[in-house]
Amino acid sequence: MSTTNKSSSLKKVMRFARPYRVRFNWVIVFAVSLSVFAAIRPYLLKQTVDQYIASKDAGGLLYYILLMTLVLLLEVASQFYFVYWANWLGQDIVKDIREKLFSHITAFRMKFFDNEPVGKLVTRTVFDIESIARIFSQGLFMIISDLLKMLVILGVMFYMNWKLTLIVLLAMPVLIYATRIFQQKMKGAFEEVRTQVANLNTFVQERLTGMKIVQLFNREDIEYEKFKEINQKHNDAWQKNILYNSIFFPIADIISSLTLGFIIWYGGISILNGDNMTTIGDLFAYTMLISMLFNPLRQIADKFNELQMGIIASDRVFELLESGQQVQDPGTIEAGHFKGELEFSNIRFSYIENEEVIKGINLKVNAGETIAIVGSTGAGKSTIINLLNRFYEISSGKITIDGTDINNFTLSSLRRQIGIVLQDVFLFADTILNNITLNNAEISREEVIAAAKAIGVHDFIMSLPGGYDYNVKERGVMLSSGQRQLIAFLRAYVSNPSILILDEATSSIDTYSEELIQNATEQITKGRTSIVIAHRLATIVNADKIIVMDKGRIVEEGRHYDLINREEGYYKNLYYSQFAVEGEG
């Protein structure tokens, strides 16, 4: 990352500190006071040795001991408030960034999620943002504090004995050079670590989510070997960090020890030769001062790396925040309850540029009608629904509801009026009630129970331990696929949508659940425009209209009995071929 990008990323992070300006200023105040109190202690020690121990003044010695104790307590208090407030500030800032990022991600186009691994997004939202907190807790403020401390200590050292201080300054370029080399090496190592962490998270996330497939196809050993390979790369990245630390810190300690030894030797010779400029108190004080000067300089490389790691993480986070992947919402009309008249006019759409999956479709659905869309896999059935909900933006053409272009409605109000039941129902690790209401406070428990009774699923829910308070666990694993479908039907019903979409909602379920779902379907489609994407054609024979799609086009349209009687009709062949397969089964 270039210096310009680093500066830019840090400035973006600092903008989030503006609401906490008072706390930010207090952290700086405590950093300054910490530096001053730390530098005063060695000077007081010098005075104690030279003026009171040498002259055997017990009263003066006690006074200075109490004074050093007071300064030490003030230093400890400054250290406490500095560390506490810096960490507090950092956590509040990352809380704000994480909330903004999560809100941002939830507004992204579906196309973004088609291309981005979930594990990578988890890394950005959790681990990378936590690294940003270290900019404040371990990086920026610590560096400011250490630099202030070094400047104050150097000032005190020059005031006490400029000759000894010059010896110290001769050693500092060597340590600064070693620090610079260490920082450069660690930069590349940290970048590699972040990359490998993202890869590891992505791999683990996908395998845990798809564990059933892993075990079903006996992939445990193969996936284990892949995991070992990725984990080894992660381990190798960290080994570089360990190696550089193992080399740098002993070198820094050697430089510090040699400098101290030379100071004691030179200072001792000066005292023995009668040099009044150097005193025994100086040697005592410099023993502390060299450590206090070199330790921050030695650790500042590590702090710079913490800062750099946080900046690298912030760069990744802001890349997401500034990606421009949100669904565009130019609409200004708040959608009320629709009559439900739909019209698709010459709709064209491509997931991948120049590879159309919807090719000039024209379709009109009257208010209150139930239409079914059928066709082979990949015909474009579900894509039609995705476009109606504006999960994807059409390439050309227009979709209207009650004569108004859907782009003119605000996105949230449009989606509130469209209820969807998907084939693959997603349930959160929460109660049945919360999975139905999705924590919408406007939907009461009583309304949910009344709705469940109306569509015939109340008895099924009450048969579960805890009824509506039964926790279905992650992804609803405690329920069968049919039971999850029933929850999805109830979820759609209580939202009282104007338009209802059933996307292959009755496929792959047991007979008992299918009967319940058929009853629920009859109830929730009453008085609503309904679109049923059907896999099992026997379930849509009573639809007002059947739309037959093939390769992104509408090839037939009509009622079941009209289509079934067409000679060599596409729907007829599809229907009887499926009937024959089910008969064989």
Side-chain angles (χ1 to χ4, degrees), residues 563-578:
L563 296 174
I564 205 72
N565 291 318
R566 289 187 183 181
E567 290 295 328
E568 300 300 323
Y570 190 98
Y571 177 80
K572 181 178 181 179
N573 291 333
L574 194 66
Y575 183 84
Y576 282 116
S577 63
Q578 187 179 101

Side-chain angles (χ1 to χ4, degrees), residues 15-146:
R15 289 194 196 110
F16 284 86
R18 287 174 183 170
Y20 309 102
R21 189 177 291 108
V22 173
R23 203 185 311 167
F24 184 95
N25 292 337
W26 273 109
V27 172
I28 300 299
V29 168
F30 289 127
V32 172
S33 62
L34 177 61
S35 303
V36 171
F37 292 132
I40 287 176
R41 281 195 300 115
Y43 180 75
L44 292 176
L45 177 62
K46 165 189 163 57
Q47 295 295 98
T48 303
V49 172
D50 289 342
Q51 295 186 24
Y52 301 107
I53 293 179
S55 62
K56 299 180 181 180
D57 183 350
L61 176 62
L62 178 61
Y63 172 76
Y64 261 74
I65 292 296
L66 292 174
L67 186 59
M68 282 193 289
T69 302
L70 175 62
V71 171
L72 178 61
L73 291 174
L74 291 172
E75 182 185 348
V76 169
S78 298
Q79 178 80 20
F80 168 78
Y81 283 109
F82 170 71
V83 173
Y84 179 76
W85 282 43
N87 280 272
W88 181 20
L89 177 62
Q91 287 301 320
D92 276 350
I93 288 171
V94 298
K95 173 183 70 69
D96 294 344
I97 295 175
R98 186 179 284 121
E99 287 174 358
K100 183 172 182 178
L101 180 61
F102 184 79
S103 174
H104 206 66
I105 290 175
T106 57
F108 279 178
R109 300 183 180 95
M110 285 296 114
K111 187 176 182 179
F112 174 83
F113 298 102
D114 294 340
N115 299 321
E116 288 292 330
V118 173
K120 179 180 175 181
L121 297 177
V122 171
T123 300
R124 297 291 177 270
T125 310
V126 180
F127 299 103
D128 281 338
I129 288 187
E130 206 56 47
S131 294
I132 295 176
R134 299 173 77 87
I135 290 177
F136 299 94
S137 62
Q138 300 295 325
L140 181 65
F141 288 134
M142 289 296 179
I143 292 171
I144 292 172
S145 176
D146 286 345

Side-chain angles (χ1 to χ4, degrees), residues 550-567:
D550 182 42
K551 297 178 182 177
R553 291 186 172 91
I554 295 176
V555 293
E556 289 181 348
E557 185 177 332
R559 294 183 66 87
H560 169 75
Y561 293 107
D562 297 327
L563 296 174
I564 205 72
N565 291 318
R566 289 187 183 181
E567 290 295 328

Side-chain angles (χ1 to χ4, degrees), residues 169-179 251 255:
L169 289 178
L170 288 174
M172 287 187 69
V174 180
L175 186 55
I176 290 171
Y177 178 74
T179 300
I251 289 175
I255 295 171

Side-chain angles (χ1 to χ4, degrees), residues 162-297:
W162 64 269
K163 287 183 179 180
L164 296 182
T165 305
L166 287 177
I167 295 173
V168 175
L169 289 178
L170 288 174
M172 287 187 69
V174 180
L175 186 55
I176 290 171
Y177 178 74
T179 300
R180 180 61 180 165
I181 296 297
F182 174 67
Q183 182 190 353
Q184 290 174 343
K185 293 292 184 183
M186 289 296 285
K187 172 191 173 185
F190 274 134
E191 288 177 343
E192 179 65 18
V193 165
R194 298 313 301 169
T195 299
Q196 295 306 326
V197 166
N199 291 342
L200 191 61
N201 283 337
T202 298
F203 183 89
V204 172
Q205 175 87 22
E206 288 181 346
R207 270 57 185 185
L208 291 179
T209 303
M211 186 56 68
K212 185 178 290 185
I213 300 299
V214 171
Q215 294 183 355
L216 186 63
F217 288 91
N218 297 313
R219 297 275 301 178
E220 293 94 334
D221 292 338
I222 296 172
E223 297 300 336
Y224 174 66
E225 291 301 322
K226 285 185 177 180
F227 177 79
K228 282 176 63 178
E229 181 181 343
I230 294 173
N231 195 39
Q232 185 60 50
K233 289 180 180 178
H234 177 261
N235 180 264
D236 292 343
W238 272 111
Q239 289 297 333
K240 288 182 182 179
N241 282 269
I242 295 169
L243 175 63
Y244 297 145
N245 278 287
S246 301
I247 294 172
F248 172 73
F249 287 108
I251 289 175
D253 284 339
I254 289 170
I255 295 171
S256 176
S257 298
L258 288 174
T259 304
L260 178 59
F262 195 75
I263 287 288
I264 298 297
W265 173 79
Y266 179 81
I269 293 294
S270 297
I271 293 172
L272 292 175
N273 289 334
D275 182 1
N276 294 328
M277 178 177 253
T278 304
T279 66
I280 293 175
D282 288 337
L283 300 185
F284 273 90
Y286 269 74
T287 301
M288 292 180 64
L289 287 167
I290 289 174
S291 175
M292 294 170 68
L293 180 67
F294 278 28
N295 277 345
L297 185 60

